[in-house]
Amino acid sequence: MQNKKSKNFFKKHWMDILIILVVVVLLAVLAVNIGVRFKFGKKWAIFSNYFFKNNGYKKLLTGIQNTCIIAIGGLLIGTVIGTLIAIVKVIPAYKKIVRYAQAVCNIYVAFFRGTPIVVQLLLGYYILLPLMGVSLPEVTSCVLIFGLNSGAYISEIMRGGINSVDPGQLEAARAVGLPFSTSMIKVVIPQAIKNILPTMGNEFIALIKETAIVGYVGAVDITKAFQDQGSNSYEYMIPYLVMALLYIVIVAAIASLVKLMERRLARSERHS
């Protein structure tokens, strides 16, 4: 029975299979030609010699560690700031102090969303922090600045998540005597986080990729590690290809983790 199904499958899809095989062969031939033309074997030998014998992998491990610290730290700071801004924006503006707070939040969001992250990093590290008399290590400064940047984006994400929660949830919490702040933190915010989890995953991925600019202030990240390897070995092709592949692997891992969390949340909601 199984053999019959296989025969029927090949009879039905033999043209598709043939096309796939031809494409694979052509790609293999193209890869070989590119490798020979650009002396891929020699370039790989230079890369591996520096990477392993000259301790290039140690700098890369430091870069991966710093990339994770900056992205995770920036996301945590941004989540706190973004949540506070979102709460301020959804508060009914009956009082002047609320309107003033909302105006300040709007200016904050406009600045960080309206300027490139590299400009914010340079302004913060070389101008604002020295003017305030604050001296921080490069990685710590990057965590702070990336957190401030992320807070502007997460505030809009969180505001959308809060608005997606049924208004009756807040009204019910207020009806049983809970203050507005407690109702938001214990009732509305947890439901909003479930709604915005995929978008938060995208924000984390964006932070991972944006850390590629921290070399401007002397911090070592993944990009800086491979740039230094290319500068020291006078060979950039393989380091940059490996760097791109590494970013793809990291982003794919994060995306898979976010999808897993989404499925678990959906499963728990069905059981509840």
Side-chain angles (χ1 to χ4, degrees), residues 47 51-52 55-73 139 143 204 207-209 211-212 214-215 219-229 239 242-251 253-254:
F47 169 79
F51 189 75
F52 294 106
N55 296 326
Y57 68 94
K58 291 184 178 179
K59 195 160 193 176
L60 176 59
L61 291 175
T62 301
I64 294 173
Q65 176 182 315
N66 290 342
T67 294
C68 293
I69 290 172
I70 294 168
I72 294 173
V139 174
V143 170
F204 184 50
L207 284 173
I208 288 285
K209 294 186 291 185
T211 57
V214 300
V220 177
D221 72 310
I222 294 174
T223 301
K224 179 65 173 174
F226 281 110
Q227 284 177 337
D228 289 348
Q229 169 138 338
V242 175
M243 176 178 67
L245 180 61
L246 181 57
Y247 274 115
I248 290 172
V249 170
I250 293 173
V251 168
I254 296 171

Side-chain angles (χ1 to χ4, degrees), residues 5 42 265:
K5 286 184 178 180
K42 182 179 179 180
L265 284 173

Side-chain angles (χ1 to χ4, degrees), residues 43 46-47 50-51 56 59 222-240 243:
K43 293 177 184 293
I46 295 173
F47 169 79
Y50 179 84
F51 189 75
K59 195 160 193 176
I222 294 174
T223 301
K224 179 65 173 174
F226 281 110
Q227 284 177 337
D228 289 348
Q229 169 138 338
S231 299
N232 293 326
S233 64
Y234 301 103
E235 175 51 55
Y236 290 93
M237 180 179 176
I238 303 300
Y240 285 1
M243 176 178 67

